[in-house]
């Protein structure tokens, strides 16, 4: 059998293509299928809260005896819904809970517990909040080094679980001699190793309350229904400064919180103090001065690293 001529092959191919095209013209037009609507996953982020708190030797809320200089650290790192990230500071404890005060030398009234060390948020999370293991976590100040302990946080509301980091150092005033404290993690749970740095502000110390020199963390004999003047011994133009005044009641206090201009002196008006429960025997007021700085942590939004220097005076 003789092979087909190339021209005949080309004609056959063209005829086949023409027939296929005519057949396609007889098909109904293609109608794309409607996409299946899927529920969107909540908008989740990695967030953190780290509280480093140095307390001068003196009184602590709920304590009747003098203590000693103490540095305490608590930290959590979370995979959380954006709507729940504000709960993280409650998991490490914070002195300055409450809405931000806009003006300098301004005060707000707040009713609620004194938060120094807690392990559950004050509100229910919108969805699950997973606390992450970021490896070994360490605080350093110059040559001083504090490895933090890791502990399991029990399930709260069946929605918060994971780990928290804690550490403390007594007689720790020498840590404030370093220009900055460093927070370092080796990484884990999808978080890369990181190092963060927060500057150390100038030490803070209350020297006079109500016109009286502070002795042994206390003053006494102040007249009721009068302005309360406070003075402190150093100023720092680069740090935030707040004072809290409250009447201790068991494990909590009812308090005023004031944002201060760091100029060495402030007076709390009597009209604001009169909104607090009265001082009584066994229930003095507590005046707490807090100087603080914040810093960022790589891979986490905002400035979640907070260093607070705290001095407290009991007003009998």
């Amino acid at each position: 059998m003789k092979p087909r001529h190339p021209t005949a092959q080309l004609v056959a191919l063209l005829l086949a293509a023409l027939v296929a095209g005519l057949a396609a013209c007889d098909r109904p037009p293609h109608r794309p299928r409607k996409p299946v609507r899927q529920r969107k996953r909540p908008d989740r982020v990695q967030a953190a809260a780290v509280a480093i708190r140095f307390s001068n030797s003196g009184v602590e809320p709920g304590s009747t005896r003098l203590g000693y200089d103490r540095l305490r650290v608590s930290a959590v790192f979370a995979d959380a819904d954006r709507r729940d990230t504000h709960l993280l500071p409650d998991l490490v404890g914070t002195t300055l809970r409450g809405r931000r005060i806009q003006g300098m030398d301004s005060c707000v009234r707040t009713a609620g517990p004194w938060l120094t060390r807690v392990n559950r948020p004050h509100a229910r999370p919108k969805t699950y909040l997973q606390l992450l293991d970021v490896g070994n976590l360490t605080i350093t100040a110059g040559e001083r080094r504090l490895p933090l302990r890791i502990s399991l946080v029990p399930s709260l509301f069946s929605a918060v679980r994971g780990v928290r980091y804690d550490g403390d150092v007594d007689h720790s005033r020498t840590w404030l001699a370093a220009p900055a404290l460093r927070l370092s993690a080796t990484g884990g749970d999808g978080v890369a190793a990181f190092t963060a740095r927060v500057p150390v502000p100038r030490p803070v110390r209350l020297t006079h309350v109500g016109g009286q020199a502070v002795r042994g963390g206390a003053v006494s004999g102040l007249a009721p229904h009068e302005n309360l003047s406070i003075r402190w011994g150093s100023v720092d133009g680069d740090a935030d400064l707040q004072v809290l005044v409250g009447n201790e009641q068991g494990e909590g206090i009812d308090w005023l919180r004031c944002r201060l201009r760091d100029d060495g002196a402030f007076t709390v008006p009597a009209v604001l103090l009169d909104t607090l429960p009265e001082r009584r025997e066994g229930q003095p007021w507590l005046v707490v001065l807090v100087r603080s700085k914040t810093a960022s942590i790589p891979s986490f939004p905002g400035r979640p690293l907070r260093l607070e220097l705290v001095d407290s005076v009991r007003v009998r």
Side-chain angles (χ1 to χ4, degrees), residues 96 108 113 118 123 142 146 184 216 223 315:
L96 304 176
V108 296
V118 295
L146 174 64
S184 301
V315 183

Side-chain angles (χ1 to χ4, degrees), residues 121-308:
H122 66 278
R124 184 183 298 271
K126 301 292 184 183
T127 182
Y128 75 90
L129 199 160
Q130 181 66 42
L131 304 182
L132 306 175
D133 182 343
V134 298
N136 297 328
L137 196 64
T138 306
I139 296 287
T140 56
E143 299 299 320
R144 296 173 181 82
R145 186 172 180 273
L146 174 64
L148 302 187
R149 304 180 301 272
I150 186 170
S151 58
L152 290 175
V153 174
S155 178
L156 307 173
F157 313 120
S158 301
V160 181
R161 57 172 56 87
V163 299
R164 188 178 71 179
Y165 294 85
D166 293 283
D168 52 81
V169 181
D170 292 333
H171 307 290
S172 53
R173 183 165 296 277
T174 52
W175 284 65
L176 302 186
L181 300 185
R182 294 177 59 202
L183 175 73
S184 301
T186 57
D189 275 356
V191 178
F194 64 79
T195 297
R197 178 181 180 275
V198 59
V200 176
R202 297 193 66 184
V204 64
R205 176 73 75 175
L206 283 162
T207 60
H208 294 76
V209 174
Q212 297 189 20
V214 176
R215 297 285 186 270
V219 297
S220 59
L222 302 187
H225 312 297
E226 291 188 359
N227 296 340
L228 184 68
S229 62
I230 63 172
R231 289 165 54 189
W232 54 97
S234 67
V235 297
D236 187 330
D238 295 328
D240 293 327
L241 187 68
Q242 299 197 42
V243 67
L244 298 95
V245 182
N247 191 316
E248 292 184 278
Q249 298 177 338
E251 296 182 354
I253 63 174
D254 213 11
W255 43 281
L256 290 170
R257 182 166 56 93
C258 307
R259 183 185 181 198
L260 306 185
R261 183 174 286 102
D262 200 344
D263 56 9
F266 180 70
T267 298
V268 184
V271 66
L272 296 179
L273 295 172
D274 287 344
T275 67
L276 296 176
E278 292 186 2
R279 287 179 285 139
R280 299 194 301 272
E281 186 67 27
Q283 288 191 342
W285 283 351
L286 194 65
V287 177
V288 183
L289 193 63
V290 183
R291 183 174 283 152
S292 61
K293 285 195 175 184
T294 61
S296 59
I297 299 176
S299 302
F300 294 93
R303 299 177 66 84
L305 175 55
R306 182 179 191 86
L307 171 60
E308 298 177 352

